[in-house]
């Protein structure tokens, strides 16, 4: 059997771990990125241990100084990550003890890696939300709002079932995405509120007989309080699943936006033009300019969904409390976080570098009877019951279609054959430009409502 180095838990074992076991159970290769959180937790824990008299003030100081020196080494790229250490917690503690001696051996008093890793993960996820995902979401919203302002009055077709529906302004279309990303922001903020409780001091699962002060540790680390139940605290990963669920929905929104613009950038639509810097060419077809960035945003969403289903699968059959399965949670958390972060970052730039082809948008609203609904509403204004108005307009559309004309091209007497309530003022209702100006319901897709919405979003996304 291949011999390996002694572990901190080796004392009760008569054999050292097989080399295969060692590499199979290690997590240092992927959890090393938790180091800032592991250290912050250790500093707070050591300070508390000194405050309650479980270690001396001098020991706590030596621990803090030692960890600071290790931090300097890590940041400078000088730290040697010892591959024989099982995980980030062992690696840091071993390096600390090597550096400062006995005080390092006191650090793990009243602590288990089970509450330690639960703490590191909560701190990591909280930072991922506060310092990365939320700022990136706001930045993307700002890019969309700026574009909505630029194109607030540009008339374009809307689609339901991918069939031309009613005329809208491009501003309204863009702000619809801002709403989706706002709900994402709320979901992340909500997940953060629930995760912001400190699991440290729960030990392996049952707590400790030592007189620790959990509240003090929680305060030092910026938590709103402590996890109430030590068994739950060490085995709960709901906060990761919630983060991944919010990430999955957010990624889905990015995918929808990407899909829209992939379509809109096609020659068939030609609604938008994405800057060359965010497209790539073909190795064979010289004329090609492909929206690869957007296709990859759409594609990478798969990783985020995979992370969520992976995490749900990982946790669904676990007996209470901590099980080593949970070590895999980081794979899903990091993968989804990295992917979402990269997608959000590039999407904001794509939005800033995408121009709407205003003439082409307008042209696309000229055909397809996008003003039919407003004609029915015109008839409602003349006292015609809506169901009847719908039928009249249906008849008018069928007639115009046969003649290959639009509703605005029909002479008044042709309108009056179908419904004699129609007067010459009808022409002020037909054509997309007239239609969008007439939208008056709150939140509608016309220029006045869009101007109001833009004012709201500018305030809401102001930094
Ligand atoms: N590397 C482990 C994880 O990420 C740390 C906790 C291990 N605890 C234990 N008792 N083996 O879950």
């Amino acid at each position: 059997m291949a011999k390996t180095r002694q572990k901190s838990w080796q004392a009760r074992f008569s054999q050292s771990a097989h080399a295969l076991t060692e590499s199979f159970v290690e997590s240092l290769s992927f959890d090393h990125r938790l180091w800032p959180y592991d250290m912050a937790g250790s500093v707070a824990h050591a300070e508390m241990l000194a405050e309650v008299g479980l270690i001396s003030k001098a020991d706590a100081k030596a621990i803090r100084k030692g960890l600071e020196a290790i931090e300097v080494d890590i940041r400078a790229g000088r730290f040697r990550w010892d591959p024989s250490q099982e995980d980030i917690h062992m690696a840091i503690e071993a390096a600390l003890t090597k550096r400062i001696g006995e005080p390092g051996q006191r650090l793990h008093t009243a602590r288990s890696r089970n509450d330690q890793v639960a703490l590191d993960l909560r701190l990591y996820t909280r930072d991922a939300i506060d310092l990365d995902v939320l700022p990136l979401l706001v930045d993307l919203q700002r890019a969309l709002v700026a574009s909505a302002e630029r194109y607030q009055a540009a008339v374009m077709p809307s689609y339901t079932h991918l069939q031309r529906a009613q005329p809208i302004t491009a501003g309204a279309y863009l702000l619809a995405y801002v709403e989706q990303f706002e709900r994402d922001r709320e979901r992340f903020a909500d997940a953060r509120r629930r995760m912001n409780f400190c699991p440290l001091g729960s030990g392996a699962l049952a707590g400790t007989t030592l007189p620790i002060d959990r509240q003090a540790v929680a305060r030092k680390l910026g938590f709103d309080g402590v996890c109430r139940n030590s068994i739950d605290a060490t085995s709960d990963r709901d906060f990761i699943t919630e983060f991944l669920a919010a990430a999955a929905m957010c990624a889905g929104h990015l995918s929808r936006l990407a899909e829209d613009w992939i379509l809109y950038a096609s020659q068939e639509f030609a609604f938008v033009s994405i800057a060359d810097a965010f497209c790539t060419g073909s190795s064979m077809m010289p004329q090609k300019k492909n929206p690869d960035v957007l296709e990859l945003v759409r594609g990478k969403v798969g990783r985020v969904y995979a992370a969520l289903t992976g995490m749900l699968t990982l946790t669904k059959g676990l007996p209470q409390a901590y099980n080593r399965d949970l070590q895999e949670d980081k794979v899903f958390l990091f993968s989804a976080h990295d992917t979402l972060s990269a997608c959000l970052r590039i999407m904001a730039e794509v939005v800033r570098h995408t121009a709407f082809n205003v003439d082409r948008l307008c042209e696309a609203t000229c055909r397809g009877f996008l003003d039919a609904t407003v004609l029915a509403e015109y008839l409602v204004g003349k006292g015609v019951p809506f169901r009847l108005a719908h039928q009249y307009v249906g008849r008018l559309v069928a007639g115009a279609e046969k003649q290959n004309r639009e509703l605005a091209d029909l002479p008044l007497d042709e309108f009056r054959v179908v419904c004699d309530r129609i007067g010459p003022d009808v022409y002020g209702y037909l054509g997309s430009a007239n239609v969008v100006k007439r939208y008056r319901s709150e939140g509608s897709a016309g220029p006045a409502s869009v101007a109001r919405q833009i004012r709201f979003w500018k305030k809401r996304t102001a930094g």
Side-chain angles (χ1 to χ4, degrees), residues 27 87 89 113-114 117 322 324 327 330:
S27 56
D87 55 27
H89 324 295
R113 279 184 296 158
N114 295 355
V117 73
Y322 177 86
R324 190 62 175 268
Q327 180 162 286
K330 291 152 214 69

Side-chain angles (χ1 to χ4, degrees), residues 209-232:
T209 58
L210 297 168
I212 58 170
D213 182 354
R214 292 190 59 206
Q215 299 288 347
V217 176
R219 271 195 306 275
K220 290 175 201 290
L221 294 170
F223 285 107
D224 294 327
V226 300
C227 298
R228 260 190 307 267
N229 179 297
S230 63
I231 300 168
D232 180 54

Side-chain angles (χ1 to χ4, degrees), residues 6 26 158 171 197 208 217 227 235 243 322 332 353 357 364 373 386 403 414 446:
Q6 292 287 299
E26 72 85 27
S158 65
F197 293 90
T208 173
V217 176
C227 298
S235 58
F243 175 86
Y322 177 86
F332 302 124
H353 293 88
N357 185 348
T373 308
F386 181 75
Q403 306 170 45
E414 276 188 45

Side-chain angles (χ1 to χ4, degrees), residues 254-263 294 297-298 347:
L254 288 169
S255 184
R256 285 181 68 173
L257 178 55
E259 167 65 9
D260 255 11
W261 289 12
I262 290 164
L263 274 178
L294 293 178
V297 166
R298 190 176 58 188
M347 200 52 144

Side-chain angles (χ1 to χ4, degrees), residues 93-247:
E93 195 189 309
L96 178 69
T97 302
K98 197 165 153 210
R99 197 179 272 266
I100 66 169
E102 201 206 62
Q105 291 186 306
R106 297 185 188 274
L107 173 61
H108 213 51
T109 307
R111 187 172 75 171
S112 156
R113 279 184 296 158
N114 295 355
D115 58 346
Q116 192 176 358
V117 73
L119 171 75
D120 293 6
L121 288 167
R122 282 183 193 243
L123 291 173
Y124 175 95
T125 310
R126 191 177 72 182
D127 262 10
I129 292 172
D130 291 350
L131 307 180
D132 198 43
V133 174
L134 287 181
L136 286 171
L137 270 167
V138 178
D139 189 52
L140 174 57
Q141 285 183 309
R142 282 195 198 123
L144 286 162
V145 171
S147 188
E149 190 168 31
R150 188 157 155 215
Y151 300 109
Q152 61 180 300
V155 178
M156 69 180 280
S158 65
Y159 298 84
T160 61
H161 315 268
L162 210 54
Q163 303 290 319
R164 285 190 187 167
Q166 290 180 278
I168 55 170
T169 59
Y173 161 79
L174 287 159
L175 292 181
Y177 281 104
V178 179
E179 296 284 349
Q180 299 186 356
F181 294 120
E182 181 68 10
R183 289 193 294 276
D184 292 327
R185 278 174 70 183
E186 287 173 12
R187 269 184 283 271
F188 280 112
D190 182 52
R192 185 208 192 279
R193 245 190 315 280
R194 243 185 320 280
M195 81 178 58
N196 199 32
F197 293 90
C198 186
L200 205 67
S202 300
L205 85 166
T208 173
T209 58
L210 297 168
I212 58 170
D213 182 354
R214 292 190 59 206
Q215 299 288 347
V217 176
R219 271 195 306 275
K220 290 175 201 290
L221 294 170
F223 285 107
D224 294 327
V226 300
C227 298
R228 260 190 307 267
N229 179 297
S230 63
I231 300 168
D232 180 54
T234 49
S235 58
D236 164 43
R237 296 294 184 273
D238 288 1
F239 61 97
I240 295 181
T241 310
E242 284 193 54
F243 175 86
L244 296 177

Side-chain angles (χ1 to χ4, degrees), residues 351-396:
V351 170
R352 289 195 172 96
H353 293 88
T354 295
F356 278 72
N357 185 348
V358 173
D359 296 337
R360 170 74 196 128
L361 289 178
C362 184
E363 193 187 300
T365 65
C366 291
R367 297 191 63 78
F369 307 104
L370 285 92
D371 46 7
T373 308
V374 87
L375 177 56
E377 289 177 356
Y378 164 86
L379 288 173
V380 168
K382 302 282 178 188
V384 179
F386 181 75
R387 278 286 161 239
L388 217 54
H390 189 284
Q391 286 173 23
Y392 291 156
V393 177
R395 238 174 276 159
L396 285 163

